[in-house]
Amino acid sequence: MAVLVRLTSIYERVGFDVSTGLNPTHVYGEPVAPFTYLLKDGEIWKAAAGIAVQELYFLEALAEAWQPRHVLIVGNAFGWSAVAMAMIFPRARILAIDAAASEGIDLTNRIAANEGLDNLLAVQASSPGDIAQLAASHAHQTAWDLLFIDGEHSKEQAAVDFAAIRPHADPEALWLFHDAISFSYLDAVERLGEKSGLVFQPLWRTPSGIAALVPQSLVTSVAPVLHAFAGSEQAFRHMRRLGRFGAGERLLSGLRCPEI
Ligand SMILES: C[S@@+](CC[C@H](N)C(=O)[O-])C[C@H]1O[C@@H](n2cnc3c(N)ncnc32)[C@H](O)[C@@H]1O
């Protein structure tokens, strides 16, 4: 079953209404509409957003090409990406951390227990400060080989997270930096790739603009998946020009938020 079907059902069963995958033009241009929010009693529960539907689909496609053994997620919020990855990568262990003392950690662990996801653990911890300790307690046998970096989104933090985690990660790990385009830190991820011999690939077709750093050993197996969620930079830049100079505006004028 598609992970979106299972995920939405899980969060609804614990009492949330879920908003995800909306088209911004349907909600007065709200740019965060594609991302995931939980609602309780008609209000957004916690400000942080979970990954978008297309990003779940990307992870599912990735799982068909390659299965990690140990995933570290920096930035858990309410566990949307962590629960998803526990189901998408059933043979991997998933450790999700969040700096906030939050009900999100408890919620994630409760869902893991309810759903029999014994490969998932969420803990309150911060990157970079707690990484060495976490590696000693959780990654001494199996190094992290998929890093999903989705905490504070900035050039500086990308470098700090990478420097803290890399010594404890598998040298052949795949790195995914969420929001690299939306938060303008694509160039910082590219520099990390250059310095460490990892292949840099922005995923233009993901709503947040995920940036991947890929070890040479994985390039052949994951390239078709990355390409499907990247396309060409030329096509992406063409659409940006359309948006910037108005052709897209004319094209979309008939699709403005309808009165309903
Ligand atoms: C965008 S949300 C994560 C969403 C989550 N990955 C998902 O898709 O379901 C970002 C989270 O990162 C946490 N965070 C920010 N800086 C952090 C850090 N340095 N270490 C750990 N967590 C951090 C915030 O508390 C927030 O809950």
Side-chain angles (χ1 to χ4, degrees):
M1 188 187 291
V3 77
L4 179 67
V5 179
R6 297 175 67 190
L7 259 187
T8 48
S9 159
I10 286 170
Y11 279 88
E12 283 167 8
R13 277 187 274 120
V14 289
F16 293 101
D17 196 2
V18 178
S19 174
T20 192
L22 299 182
N23 180 333
T25 64
H26 295 174
V27 290
Y28 295 97
E30 174 52 63
V32 298
F35 298 97
T36 305
Y37 290 87
L38 300 184
L39 288 93
K40 189 135 214 166
D41 304 322
E43 298 293 331
I44 293 215
W45 190 80
K46 310 286 170 208
I51 60 175
V53 172
Q54 253 164 283
E55 295 167 343
L56 292 174
Y57 186 31
F58 161 66
L59 293 171
E60 287 184 299
L62 182 64
E64 287 182 14
W66 172 71
Q67 285 276 336
R69 291 183 305 277
H70 199 176
V71 181
L72 174 66
I73 300 174
V74 176
N76 179 65
F78 46 83
W80 182 256
S81 57
V83 175
M85 285 198 230
M87 296 190 290
I88 291 170
F89 305 121
R91 296 195 298 278
R93 286 165 56 209
I94 317 292
L95 176 66
I97 68 167
D98 202 291
S102 103
E103 295 158 272
I105 297 286
D106 297 340
L107 174 64
T108 308
N109 288 326
R110 185 150 49 91
I111 288 174
N114 290 350
E115 302 297 325
L117 296 170
D118 52 15
N119 59 339
L120 169 59
L121 175 68
V123 296
Q124 187 196 343
S126 177
S127 174
D130 296 323
I131 293 297
Q133 175 60 44
L134 286 165
S137 9
H138 296 279
H140 55 286
Q141 282 180 329
T142 310
W144 295 309
D145 59 353
L146 174 59
L147 292 307
F148 190 75
I149 309 298
D150 190 16
E152 186 191 313
H153 306 106
S154 68
K155 296 178 199 287
E156 298 71 27
Q157 190 67 27
V160 163
D161 286 340
F162 188 81
I165 297 168
R166 186 103 207 271
H168 308 287
D170 191 312
E172 303 305 311
L174 174 65
W175 295 73
L176 299 173
F177 293 82
H178 196 256
D179 272 313
I181 297 178
S182 294
F183 282 76
S184 303
Y185 72 96
L186 214 46
D187 56 341
V189 178
E190 184 170 20
R191 278 197 300 278
L192 294 174
E194 282 164 5
K195 278 196 227 153
S196 43
L198 299 168
V199 178
F200 168 69
Q201 176 62 67
L203 303 182
W204 307 109
R205 295 176 181 162
T206 55
S208 74
I210 294 173
L213 291 181
V214 191
Q216 289 294 344
S217 60
L218 278 186
V219 165
T220 309
S221 48
V222 301
V225 179
L226 296 185
H227 181 66
F229 287 84
S232 73
E233 181 166 349
Q234 194 185 10
F236 175 75
R237 298 221 173 268
H238 183 80
M239 291 308 288
R240 267 174 77 83
R241 277 195 302 279
L242 276 184
R244 185 170 183 191
F245 298 116
E249 191 55 33
R250 282 196 298 283
L251 199 70
L252 292 172
S253 59
L255 294 175
R256 285 284 151 255
C257 187
E259 291 309 317
I260 41 179

